[in-house]
Amino acid sequence: MKLAMVGTGYVGLVTAACFAEMGNEVTCVDTNSAKVEALEQGIIPIYEPGLEDYVKRNSQENRLFFTTDLAAAVQRSLVVFIAVGTPQDKDGSADLSMVLQVARDIGRCMDGYKVIVEKSTVPVGTARMVRQVMEEELRARGEEMEFDVVSNPEFLKEGTALDDFMKPDRIVVGCDDVRVAELMKELYAPFVRTNHPIIIMDVVSAELTKYAANAFLATKISFINEMANICSRTGANINMVRQGIGSDRRIGHLFLFPGLGYGGSCFPKDMQALIHTARYRGYTPRILEAAEAINQDQRQIFYDRVLEYFQGDLKGKVLAFWGLSFKPQTDDIRDAPALTLIEKFQEAGARIQAHDPEGMTATQKYLGDNQGISFVKTSYEAVEGADALIICTEWSKFREPDFDRMRSLMKKPVIFDGRNLYNPEKLEKAGFAYFYIGQKVT
């Protein structure tokens, strides 16, 4: 099929590259000419394992194209995906201005029947709004053209996005026409050869499904963090509790790791958007509100533990940070716990020595001219002369470090582990003061 992908952000670029990998002809559209030029040269603006190879290979084989010309891309394509950003607005709702602007632009330039696919994460009712603004533009042109609007939410995890797309657990398609459903089934057929389902539903249900999925996973993270906080007051071992409940097939082990809470571009924004949707319609989503509150508290609890150890005085202290991105295998620092903690520690007078395999460039750009933080090339450089190590991201390279070398480099052998990477008994024998999530408060 000939497809257009409007938006070359994380979702748009991954989706376009994977469709092209299966033989489709995909034209990616972006208003940023510099970004388009870089993509044409194979320069990828994000870090996602394997994505660069997909983009280069399919570009070279003339299945993947990049342009700023929306009209040309729409007119050569049957299916047009909208994959632009829906950032959080001031009131917590999703800002749909970019989605609706793209819909208007499509209405101004379409030259025949099109299937418009919502790939952006959007609240209930967005498809209706997309249809409305497109019809307005067609009326302004004096044209009558058929088109359908489909909701097709993405379920990609940063760091494993290619596998998630190529081998999906399920494909969700929301549409109101049997013919369109069959078209979408045909498009996705190569990705579900292992009999994972393509679930056809109404548009509103598909729009809500994406939010419901993310809200459930975010709530699961907050639940295990709440259990960790209870463990810290009762003396129970959170790692044993996690294994005990996770072994129940009804619960499972995924997303059941205590830590600093969720971050990134999806969970925080989508939780707020769903809460706003519920309140707007007169319902108080108490579980979602509690999950959000727990998530925010988790960073403060961790900070307070560090502050308590240093008896309330962090002035002049050097804190090593391992991990800046909100999760491993990505350079995404949006709403990353590390950024919240760095800000708090710097306000308290500490200096930061930070290392992350992929997230340092983005963090430098985010923090700007910040004299209180230095970015170093290796994890061992980060701990040199440090009064304590703060672990914020569970990158694989942090799991089995040389503890003897660390102890010799650090000013004080102290570790505050926000991801529970290590065995407390092992660290104690290695001569470290080790603090982790769920540890009993004495």
Side-chain angles (χ1 to χ4, degrees):
M1 291 189 193
K2 288 183 169 58
L3 313 175
M5 188 68 58
V6 186
T8 59
Y10 187 86
V11 172
L13 193 56
V14 170
T15 303
C18 290
F19 275 137
E21 184 73 10
M22 286 299 187
N24 299 287
E25 186 177 302
V26 188
T27 304
C28 296
V29 184
D30 202 288
T31 57
N32 187 329
S33 57
K35 187 177 184 181
V36 167
E37 185 177 338
L39 286 166
E40 287 178 326
Q41 297 172 8
I43 301 172
I44 309 301
I46 58 175
Y47 174 74
E48 178 62 36
L51 181 58
E52 184 175 347
D53 291 339
Y54 269 46
V55 171
K56 287 182 176 179
R57 177 169 59 251
N58 287 286
S59 295
Q60 291 167 358
E61 296 177 7
N62 294 318
R63 291 192 297 270
L64 185 60
F65 307 90
F66 300 96
T67 183
T68 57
D69 190 342
L70 175 68
V74 169
Q75 290 166 12
R76 71 185 294 186
S77 303
L78 170 61
V79 183
V80 182
F81 288 82
I82 300 178
V84 294
T86 54
Q88 183 176 317
D89 219 332
K90 292 179 180 179
D91 61 358
S93 64
D95 181 354
L96 297 176
S97 58
M98 286 187 282
V99 170
L100 297 179
Q101 184 59 55
V102 169
R104 287 191 181 281
D105 292 342
I106 294 171
R108 289 168 184 158
C109 68
M110 61 187 288
D111 59 348
Y113 176 75
K114 306 293 176 185
V115 177
I116 311 302
V117 183
E118 296 175 338
K119 203 63 178 173
S120 304
T121 299
V122 293
V124 169
T126 302
R128 175 181 51 79
M129 297 167 67
V130 167
R131 174 173 289 281
Q132 181 179 340
V133 298
M134 289 182 64
E135 288 174 344
E136 289 174 0
E137 294 301 329
L138 287 170
R139 282 196 297 271
R141 292 169 55 188
E143 299 276 3
E144 288 187 11
M145 295 182 197
E146 288 189 20
F147 65 91
D148 283 285
V149 181
V150 174
S151 175
N152 176 216
E154 53 83 17
F155 299 99
L156 308 177
K157 300 186 296 294
E158 293 190 39
T160 60
L162 296 185
D163 276 348
D164 291 342
F165 198 99
M166 301 298 280
K167 303 172 186 176
D169 292 330
R170 80 292 202 195
I171 303 293
V172 172
V173 175
C175 64
D176 301 318
D177 187 282
V178 174
R179 295 170 300 172
V180 177
E182 291 303 314
L183 178 70
M184 295 300 290
K185 285 181 180 179
E186 180 183 347
L187 177 60
Y188 276 108
F191 301 95
V192 292
R193 296 174 68 87
T194 54
N195 294 323
H196 286 173
I198 298 177
I199 305 171
I200 306 297
M201 60 182 71
D202 61 276
V203 173
V204 170
S205 296
E207 289 175 330
L208 186 57
T209 294
K210 167 65 176 180
Y211 281 106
N214 278 359
F216 181 82
L217 296 175
T219 300
K220 198 173 180 182
I221 293 170
S222 285
F223 174 83
I224 197 62
N225 281 333
E226 180 117 282
M227 292 303 103
N229 294 333
I230 293 173
C231 284
S232 71
R233 287 156 178 80
T234 62
N237 185 321
I238 184 57
N239 292 318
M240 295 294 99
V241 172
R242 179 184 66 80
Q243 292 179 42
I245 64 175
S247 298
D248 187 327
R249 286 177 295 177
R250 297 169 300 174
I251 298 172
H253 292 288
L254 296 177
F255 290 85
L256 208 61
F257 293 90
L260 296 173
Y262 53 81
S265 62
C266 294
F267 285 7
K269 174 177 69 72
D270 293 352
M271 285 286 278
Q272 287 293 328
L274 186 54
I275 289 169
H276 179 273
T277 295
R279 289 173 176 168
Y280 181 76
R281 285 163 173 78
Y283 179 75
T284 302
R286 289 168 290 179
I287 290 177
L288 303 185
E289 290 176 343
E292 264 289 274
I294 292 166
N295 194 60
Q296 294 304 316
D297 289 348
Q298 201 66 9
R299 304 178 191 192
Q300 184 66 45
I301 290 169
F302 187 82
Y303 170 79
D304 290 343
R305 193 73 189 273
V306 176
L307 195 64
E308 180 185 11
Y309 175 82
F310 287 104
Q311 298 180 328
D313 185 10
L314 286 170
K315 291 181 180 178
K317 296 293 188 294
V318 177
L319 301 180
F321 264 68
W322 281 6
L324 298 168
S325 57
F326 85 94
K327 63 180 286 188
Q329 300 302 319
T330 181
D331 61 352
D332 193 344
I333 62 166
R334 285 174 287 186
D335 205 22
L339 300 186
T340 303
L341 292 171
I342 285 172
E343 181 179 341
K344 287 179 175 294
F345 287 134
Q346 287 192 317
E347 286 177 355
R351 292 189 296 111
I352 310 298
Q353 295 175 175
H355 173 73
D356 186 285
E358 298 294 339
M360 291 195 291
T361 299
T363 305
Q364 285 177 297
K365 183 178 180 181
Y366 174 84
L367 294 176
D369 185 20
N370 189 321
Q371 301 299 319
I373 183 170
S374 57
F375 299 92
V376 295
K377 294 181 179 179
T378 71
S379 53
Y380 294 110
E381 285 182 76
V383 300
E384 192 169 343
D387 291 282
L389 167 63
I390 311 294
I391 300 176
C392 291
T393 315
E394 64 274 30
W395 286 93
S396 295
K397 64 183 289 185
F398 301 152
R399 292 184 180 274
E400 293 290 342
D402 184 337
F403 291 111
D404 290 337
R405 182 179 177 187
M406 289 171 60
R407 193 176 62 249
S408 69
L409 291 170
M410 297 178 72
K411 184 176 180 180
K412 294 181 180 179
V414 181
I415 298 176
F416 292 91
D417 186 353
R419 297 300 174 184
N420 287 15
L421 298 185
Y422 308 131
N423 183 314
E425 293 180 1
K426 180 179 178 180
L427 266 289
E428 185 178 344
K429 289 179 181 178
F432 284 85
Y434 179 61
F435 302 91
Y436 58 91
I437 304 297
Q439 184 179 25
K440 186 176 181 180
V441 177
T442 56

